[in-house]
Amino acid sequence: MSTSETTTQPTILIDVDGTLSASLPGIQAGLRDALTSTGHPIPDEAFMSTIAGPPLLETLERIGLDDEQQLETLAAYRAHQEAGGWSVTHMYDGWPGLLKKWRNDGIRLATATSKGHRYTRKTLELFGILDLFEVIGSASDDGARRAKDDVIEYTLGELGLPAERLQGYEPGETSGSGSADALHNVIMIGDRSHDIAGAHVFGIRCVAAAWGYGTAEEWDQADAVALSPDELDSVVQQLLLAP
C-alpha cells in the first residue's frame, strides 16, 4: 500500500502504561526493589506517583543517579520485571470492545509506548488484545529507542506513514499541535505530557486519557480530553471529523 493511500485511512496510536494498562503499582514495586538492591534511597510518594510513562532512565536521572548508577538500577529493575513484576497490572475497563469497534470501523490501530517491546507484547497478550493492533510501536529492548517522539516516528514508519518533524520534543511545556496534512486522520491517545508532546512533534493531534497518571496541567496541552474510556470514542470521532 502506498503512503498516499494509507494517509486517507483513520489511524489511532495508543499509549500503554496509564492508558490501556493500570500499571503504576507494578512499576513502583519494581523501582523500589531496584533502588533497594542497589543501595539507593527511595523517593517520596509524590515522586513515585509520576513514574509511569517516561522512560525509566529519565526517571533515574531525575532521582539524581549518575550514568553508572542508572544502568545498574535499570538492570535490577529488569530482573524484577523478568521475575514476574511486569504482570502486576490490569486493563482499564472498556478497552476490548472499543478496540474491536474501531477495527470494525476500518480504523488502523497501533501502540506507541515507551515500554520495551517484549513487555509491551506480553502485556497485550495478557489482556487478550494483541491481535487487534496492526503495529506494536514501542521502545526497543536494546535501549536505542526510548523517547516518545522516537517511538512515534518508528510507529509511523512501520505503518507506512510519513514522519516529518514539525517542532522539537519538549514534554511538560505547552506546545501547539502543529499541522501535518498527511497525518490529519491520525490521532494519539495517551495520559502523560510525553505522549502529547511526542504527537505534536509530527503535527498529530492527541487525546489526553484523564483516567491515567498525568495531571490536569499535562492534559491542558492536549487537543482534547476524555474523562473515561466510555467517552473516548465520541471524542476521537469528533477529532477525526474536524476540518
Side-chain angles (χ1 to χ4, degrees):
M1 183 179 294
S2 70
T3 297
S4 61
E5 289 174 322
T6 60
T7 55
T8 64
Q9 188 172 353
T11 302
I12 300 176
L13 313 182
I14 306 174
D15 174 52
V16 175
D17 290 328
T19 302
L20 283 170
S21 174
S23 53
L24 180 60
I27 295 171
Q28 289 175 326
L31 182 56
R32 290 190 185 101
D33 181 82
L35 289 171
T36 298
S37 68
T38 54
H40 301 297
I42 297 171
D44 61 26
E45 288 303 310
F47 181 93
M48 293 293 286
S49 70
T50 69
I51 65 174
L56 184 60
L57 284 180
E58 181 179 314
T59 296
L60 298 178
E61 183 178 6
R62 288 170 55 209
I63 290 173
L65 305 188
D66 62 30
D67 291 348
E68 182 178 350
Q69 292 170 333
Q70 289 176 33
L71 293 177
E72 180 185 26
T73 306
L74 177 62
Y77 177 84
R78 286 176 171 169
H80 181 275
Q81 294 294 97
E82 188 68 26
W86 70 271
S87 65
V88 181
T89 186
H90 66 270
M91 180 169 47
Y92 290 107
D93 291 340
W95 271 113
L98 184 54
L99 295 172
K100 290 174 184 176
K101 176 187 181 300
W102 284 339
R103 283 289 300 267
N104 290 336
D105 289 345
I107 296 175
R108 306 174 79 191
L109 301 179
T111 63
T113 173
S114 292
K115 196 178 195 72
H117 186 76
R118 179 165 177 256
Y119 288 117
T120 296
R121 291 186 63 89
K122 287 172 72 71
T123 299
L124 299 179
E125 286 175 343
L126 176 69
F127 295 162
I129 58 174
L130 177 63
D131 291 344
L132 295 176
F133 291 92
E134 180 177 339
V135 168
I136 305 302
S138 67
S140 57
D141 290 331
D142 64 4
R145 182 179 63 250
R146 292 192 185 99
K148 186 52 69 84
D149 59 325
D150 293 333
V151 167
I152 292 175
E153 183 175 43
Y154 167 82
T155 305
L156 292 172
E158 291 296 295
L159 287 164
L161 297 173
E164 178 186 357
R165 291 173 180 261
L166 304 181
Q167 60 187 53
Y169 175 59
E170 297 292 344
E173 294 186 8
T174 301
S175 61
S177 63
S179 177
D181 291 341
L183 300 178
H184 182 73
N185 284 338
V186 180
I187 302 294
M188 175 75 197
I189 301 169
D191 66 312
R192 300 299 309 272
S193 63
H194 299 73
D195 303 308
I196 300 163
H200 288 175
V201 166
F202 303 98
I204 295 172
R205 292 168 296 172
C206 185
V207 178
W211 57 88
Y213 302 126
T215 64
E217 290 75 17
E218 291 178 72
W219 302 331
D220 282 344
Q221 301 168 34
D223 301 274
V225 179
L227 299 179
S228 69
D230 288 340
E231 74 171 33
L232 184 56
D233 184 44
S234 62
V235 173
V236 167
Q237 297 295 346
Q238 288 172 11
L239 281 184
L240 290 174
L241 292 172

